[in-house]
Amino acid sequence: MAESTAARQWGRQADVAAPVFHNSYTHLPDRFFARPGANTVSAPKLIRINRPLAAQLGLSADWLESSDGIAMLAGNSFPAGAEPVALAYAGHQFGNFVPQLGDGRALLVGEIIDTLGKRRDLQLKGSGRTQFSRGGDGRAAVGPVLREYVVSEAMAALGIPTTHTLAAVLTGETVYRETPVPGAVLTRVAASHIRIGTFQYFAAREDLEAIRLLADHAIGRHFPDLAKCDQPYLALLEQVIAVQADLVARWMLVGFIHGVMNTDNMTISGETIDYGPCAFIDEYDPAKVFSSIDRQGRYAYANQPGIAVWNLARFAETLLPIIHEDQDEAMRFAEEALKRFQATYDETFHRGWGRKLGLLAEQEGDLQLIGDLLRVMARNRADFPLTFRGLATEIEGTAGDSGVRRLFADPKEFDDWATRWRLRLAEESAFPAERRQVMLSTNPRYIPRNHRIEAVIKAAVEGADFRPFEELLDVVVRPFDEQPERSDYALPPREDERVLQTFCGT
């Protein structure tokens, strides 16, 4: 009730006032975070405010665009009530455990109560060094900031749980990576920044009190009904498994590759977080890897569900001491919980694939039909989004000389599959128009293709030109609309435009 009242009071003053921050995380003991000193930048300049998101948060976009607002977004100064902290966490990075990571270039400014009464974190990325920087400069380059802005908002438009980007600002300073590039700060909004790695940080220190405090905080923040359960910590594990299984299935349905599925990049809330070397598949390849540092293919597209289970097993290990005093019993409960990942994943995955193919009632043999199409696509290097979007136009026709079959190196392979697909469609009574609408609202026409993002970054870095960024963003936040004036954005890259690797940018 208190949060709802605060939200209503904030709504009346949002057009004139600075944000009102709440800080539940800083009520935890000091060992959960660090309080960095000042990290000001010389000449902050606004790139963009996400006005629709500001409205959802009950924030004044006009204030955010003011000098005081830009100073906050750059990390130069903060309104009263803000308590900037860097969060402590650990993590398995490419399978290797690092006992201390933490926010080395990020600050949790505080928490906002949005217009629905929900608590949301406001975090700055690239705001400067913290106690967790490990020798880094704590800054962000403009390229990764623009990438995260575009991809996070595209994911939200696709209906995939994700952190959001509220703003991006230039710092007026140069950061040094492979070459000198403009510095920038991104403002990230999340349900929270509690990660599997946060629990691992305290488990590595055998700090049972902290694990219990963190679990209680996570339950209160994200799953308050679990506090009533007989075994609330086991219920927390089960809930996190469920939201992560659903999330990864949704990634797979749109051809998204996270790139760095380390345990410190998996949230308890089930939101996608940390858009580093991520990308969407153009031509379908289940072994596709984009990350420049994933040389063994650990986080390849097809490996993502298995990696999610591995990460969740690490989360379960941190909770064993508080799940049950008998560790054999705790292990048995955790193992049973982990087995449920597959059922939740399959439910989202199978339902989603049915909608992508216009199959509105699941039948035996559908998985074989789906798997056969993916195998044909892989052999023929067919474009992932264009293939599924194009199938919606095939509902009433025959294979003939359709646009879809031209995506396949051997169109006859598509024709053979499409014959079976049409026979399967004929077994349902749905009207073609109804089926087509389902497919068009499920299969995006526009995704943030990697070559488009790289073009945006190049324009910003080399010419301080943010018009390509604005245009790409406008396209991908309406992924299911036809947008005929922007049809080029739906096309895969030419051979000379292909981007084979993406970089973390830290």
Side-chain angles (χ1 to χ4, degrees), residues 8-301:
R8 288 195 295 272
Q9 291 174 342
W10 171 238
R12 290 195 292 270
Q13 59 178 321
D15 58 340
V16 295
V20 174
F21 285 106
H22 306 255
N23 299 284
S24 67
Y25 202 82
T26 57
H27 295 165
L28 293 167
D30 287 349
R31 62 188 185 277
F32 281 70
F33 51 81
R35 299 181 186 271
N39 279 298
T40 59
V41 298
S42 61
K45 181 181 179 181
L46 184 66
I47 298 173
R48 183 184 174 95
I49 293 290
N50 186 338
R51 282 182 164 265
L53 179 58
Q56 293 172 23
L57 296 173
L59 300 179
S60 167
D62 290 339
W63 183 87
L64 292 169
E65 292 177 346
S66 71
S67 58
D68 287 343
I70 294 171
M72 181 191 77
L73 298 172
N76 278 3
S77 63
F78 301 99
E83 295 183 59
V85 294
L87 307 189
Y89 52 84
H92 277 89
Q93 299 196 317
F94 291 88
N96 300 307
F97 185 64
V98 183
Q100 179 167 305
L101 294 168
D103 288 333
R105 56 173 182 144
L107 280 181
L108 174 62
V109 177
E111 301 156 9
I112 298 288
I113 308 301
D114 70 14
T115 55
L116 298 177
K118 294 183 178 179
R119 189 177 293 268
R120 312 279 290 277
D121 279 2
L122 205 71
Q123 185 198 63
L124 304 183
K125 289 184 66 179
S127 53
R129 298 192 77 250
T130 77
Q131 290 87 332
F132 302 111
S133 293
R134 297 181 295 163
D137 61 11
R139 297 299 184 185
V142 70
V145 165
L146 297 182
R147 176 183 295 276
E148 178 153 348
Y149 199 134
V150 169
V151 180
S152 66
E153 296 314 297
M155 293 283 273
L158 289 166
I160 298 172
T162 180
T163 59
H164 283 265
T165 300
L166 177 62
V169 298
L170 291 168
T171 63
E173 299 175 351
T174 298
V175 297
Y176 296 88
R177 299 296 183 257
E178 288 80 9
T179 59
V181 289
V185 179
L186 177 135
T187 303
R188 179 162 68 189
V189 175
S192 85
H193 285 83
I194 304 171
R195 310 157 187 260
I196 289 176
T198 317
F199 283 85
Q200 290 183 291
Y201 179 85
F202 296 109
R205 288 154 180 78
E206 300 183 351
D207 190 341
L208 187 59
E209 178 192 37
I211 293 172
R212 196 181 302 274
L213 285 171
L214 182 60
D216 289 339
H217 179 83
I219 289 171
R221 180 83 181 256
H222 296 298
F223 316 112
D225 289 346
L226 301 186
K228 305 171 188 175
C229 295
D230 292 337
Q231 295 178 288
Y233 305 126
L234 175 59
L236 173 63
L237 172 61
E238 293 170 339
Q239 190 64 46
V240 174
I241 290 170
V243 296
Q244 283 292 339
D246 178 76
L247 175 66
V248 176
R250 291 173 185 270
W251 290 356
M252 302 297 284
L253 290 168
V254 296
F256 176 74
I257 303 175
H258 185 281
V260 278
M261 285 182 67
N262 299 328
T263 56
D264 55 294
N265 290 338
M266 289 188 74
T267 63
I268 302 305
S269 66
E271 289 182 324
T272 312
I273 194 170
D274 285 334
Y275 292 97
C278 62
F280 286 78
I281 291 176
D282 294 310
E283 59 188 40
Y284 179 69
D285 177 0
K288 190 68 175 177
V289 173
F290 282 99
S291 172
S292 63
I293 55 177
D294 190 3
R295 296 181 179 88
Q296 305 302 317
R298 177 180 175 86
Y299 300 144
Y301 170 77

Side-chain angles (χ1 to χ4, degrees), residues 296-421:
Q296 305 302 317
R298 177 180 175 86
Y299 300 144
Y301 170 77
N303 289 348
Q304 292 180 132
I307 290 296
V309 176
W310 192 91
N311 288 348
L312 288 163
R314 307 289 77 73
F315 178 51
E317 290 168 354
T318 71
L319 296 180
L320 290 178
I322 62 174
I323 286 177
H324 199 283
E325 60 184 17
D326 183 327
Q327 289 303 280
D328 289 338
E329 277 293 281
M331 181 72 75
R332 183 175 66 82
F333 286 136
E335 288 175 348
E336 287 300 315
L338 287 164
K339 289 177 184 177
R340 298 187 194 120
F341 176 96
Q342 194 65 48
T344 303
Y345 176 88
D346 286 347
E347 182 180 357
T348 300
F349 190 73
H350 297 167
R351 183 176 63 248
W353 276 110
R355 290 176 61 85
K356 287 177 78 67
L357 294 183
L359 309 178
L360 306 186
E362 187 173 344
Q363 294 186 16
E364 187 177 351
D366 285 353
L367 291 181
Q368 182 68 44
L369 187 67
I370 293 163
D372 288 347
L373 174 59
L374 292 174
R375 282 185 282 273
V376 171
M377 289 174 63
R379 285 198 299 270
N380 287 268
R381 302 178 62 184
D383 186 81
F384 190 91
L386 289 186
T387 296
F388 291 104
R389 183 73 176 191
L391 286 177
T393 68
E394 300 276 324
I395 292 298
E396 293 179 300
T398 56
D401 195 29
S402 73
V404 180
R405 71 191 303 271
R406 288 198 292 267
L407 300 172
F408 291 73
D410 180 1
K412 178 66 166 53
E413 284 205 76
F414 172 76
D415 294 344
D416 292 343
W417 177 86
T419 297
R420 294 167 51 209
W421 172 60

Side-chain angles (χ1 to χ4, degrees), residues 47 140-151 170 175 177-184 275-279 448-473 489 499 501-505:
I47 298 173
V142 70
V145 165
L146 297 182
R147 176 183 295 276
E148 178 153 348
Y149 199 134
V150 169
V151 180
L170 291 168
V175 297
R177 299 296 183 257
E178 288 80 9
T179 59
V181 289
Y275 292 97
C278 62
R449 292 185 183 267
N450 221 11
H451 70 293
R452 289 288 184 178
I453 294 176
E454 291 300 321
V456 160
I457 293 172
K458 183 177 181 180
V461 170
E462 296 182 1
D465 182 2
F466 292 93
R467 289 172 297 180
F469 161 68
E470 295 281 355
E471 184 162 313
L472 177 60
L473 187 60
Y489 282 86
V499 178
Q501 287 187 327
T502 55
F503 299 86
C504 184

